Amino acid sequence: MRADCISNIIDYICVRKKIIFQSTMREIQFREALREAMSEEMRNDDKIYLMGEEVAEYNGAYKVSQGMLDEFGAKRVIDTPISELGFAGIGIGSAMNGLKPIIEFMTFNFSLVAIDQVINAAAKMMSMSGGQFSVPIVFRGPTGNAGMLSSQHSQCFENWYANCPGLKVVVPSNPYDAKGLLKSAILDPDPVIFMESELMYGDKGEVPEETYYIEIGKAKVVKEGTDVTLVGFGKIMKVVNAAAEELAKEGINAEVIDLRTVRPIDYATVIESVKKTNRLVIVEESWPLGSIATEVAFKVQKDAFDYLDAPIQRIMGGDVPLPYAPTLIQEYLPNADRVVKAVKQVMYVTK
């Protein structure tokens, strides 16, 4: 019933969103969009609170929670010790008892310390309790490479968490999506993993002043095209969009899809696109084995094999721990040139 109510609210607001005029849009940073999402929901419901390392007195490690301590007080914006396992467990216990915590990991690399609580408690509690306990909790923070931070601070765990039933995994690529998806995640009765990027917090984009929500599990067709489908999510969409622009200069019209969430994955949108373009290239930052790209490729070849005119291509990060040296980082990460080359391969273009 709670999930149905949330869906109805989102449907209603999505209809309202269609009548928002351009004059109500303003350009704000990614971090500001996240802050607005949290603050708006916290004003609506005093059961929602934010907890994590440096979220209060320091205004957040990346200034996402700037000013929230002043507005909501120390009982709802809570600094924690450097103990991810501990405060993740506290958050889960409070969610089981009626609160709606937002748990910030300074980086999802540090969430490995708390992964037992996330996987064995939050994700499984509804099933293990026979439906007696829901866990309406959001775990949020940055994921992936952020520059010269080397191997232990540059990892992508989207596919790890997406592998676990009971979790929803959201990876926004721009301020508009970040706000709408985070608001939906906070209202969701299930645990949500909300993954951001250190390299995107300063990015600016247009966000409405009006309230809006984006449904979890729905991909977005960023650009319509006819020749090839490009799929990505999160900050790698910058690479995908840049590649689409380069391809357009050569007369290749790419359709671009931003998955936005990787559990659940909106396979239907991807498959409908492939039925039109007959070719697919998937771009992802993480290691190749067991990736989201692998799963999407499997699903497309299973359900749309007869529409494919070429083998599916993946552009992935390197199959090694991320190096420290900037030259090696460039070799490791997907880039627009690699995407363009892959598109030409699936189109059998030799020049």
Side-chain angles (χ1 to χ4, degrees), residues 26-41 63-65 68 140 172 174-183 186 194 196 200-208 212:
R26 68 266 148 79
E27 195 173 73
I28 63 174
Q29 291 183 336
F30 196 101
R31 60 167 58 88
E32 293 175 305
L34 296 171
R35 183 188 312 140
E36 285 189 359
M38 293 189 291
S39 297
E40 288 175 10
E41 296 306 321
K63 299 301 178 277
V64 172
S65 54
M68 292 180 66
R140 51 156 295 267
N174 58 75
Y176 177 86
D177 286 358
K179 181 176 180 179
L181 287 166
L182 183 53
K183 286 171 70 69
I186 293 169
F194 196 93
E196 305 148 12
M200 294 178 66
Y201 285 128
D203 289 359
K204 290 186 176 182
E206 289 190 335
V207 176
Y212 69 99

Side-chain angles (χ1 to χ4, degrees), residues 105-159:
F105 293 125
M106 193 177 293
T107 162
F108 266 95
N109 294 277
F110 302 161
S111 76
L112 296 189
V113 182
I115 199 167
D116 179 58
Q117 288 287 351
V118 176
I119 299 298
N120 281 327
K124 297 183 174 70
M125 191 55 63
M126 173 67 79
S127 175
M128 293 177 63
S129 68
Q132 295 181 77
F133 288 102
S134 61
V135 186
I137 189 170
V138 176
F139 297 99
R140 51 156 295 267
T143 183
N145 162 65
M148 298 169 63
L149 298 179
S150 195
S151 302
Q152 295 181 343
H153 294 73
S154 305
Q155 302 166 105
C156 297
F157 295 122
E158 295 93 328
N159 56 328

Side-chain angles (χ1 to χ4, degrees), residues 70-91:
D70 293 337
E71 178 174 357
F72 298 105
K75 289 186 176 181
R76 297 185 66 197
V77 181
I78 305 167
D79 278 331
T80 68
I82 302 175
S83 179
E84 288 80 8
L85 178 66
F87 64 76
I90 291 171

Side-chain angles (χ1 to χ4, degrees), residues 201-308:
Y201 285 128
D203 289 359
K204 290 186 176 182
E206 289 190 335
V207 176
E209 292 180 356
E210 286 81 2
T211 298
Y212 69 99
Y213 295 80
I214 297 175
E215 183 180 354
I216 293 174
K218 293 293 184 181
K220 179 181 181 181
V221 179
V222 178
K223 174 186 173 295
E224 293 189 356
T226 56
D227 298 328
V228 63
T229 299
L230 301 180
V231 173
F233 58 88
K235 75 171 183 290
I236 211 68
M237 289 305 301
K238 295 181 180 181
V239 171
V240 177
N241 291 328
E245 292 178 6
E246 288 300 314
L247 290 165
K249 296 176 183 177
E250 301 190 35
I252 299 174
N253 186 8
E255 181 146 297
V256 177
I257 296 176
D258 182 350
L259 290 179
R260 299 202 287 198
T261 65
V262 297
R263 188 179 184 104
I265 296 174
D266 184 0
Y267 295 112
T269 295
V270 178
I271 289 171
E272 284 304 306
S273 178
V274 171
K275 287 180 178 179
K276 177 173 61 172
T277 67
N278 310 118
R279 296 169 177 86
L280 175 62
V281 175
I282 312 165
V283 189
E284 185 178 351
E285 184 179 328
S286 74
W287 300 310
L289 184 63
S291 63
I292 299 298
T294 302
E295 189 64 24
V296 173
F298 165 78
K299 187 69 172 178
V300 171
Q301 68 81 29
K302 176 179 178 293
D303 293 343
F305 180 80
D306 290 340
Y307 293 89
L308 289 170

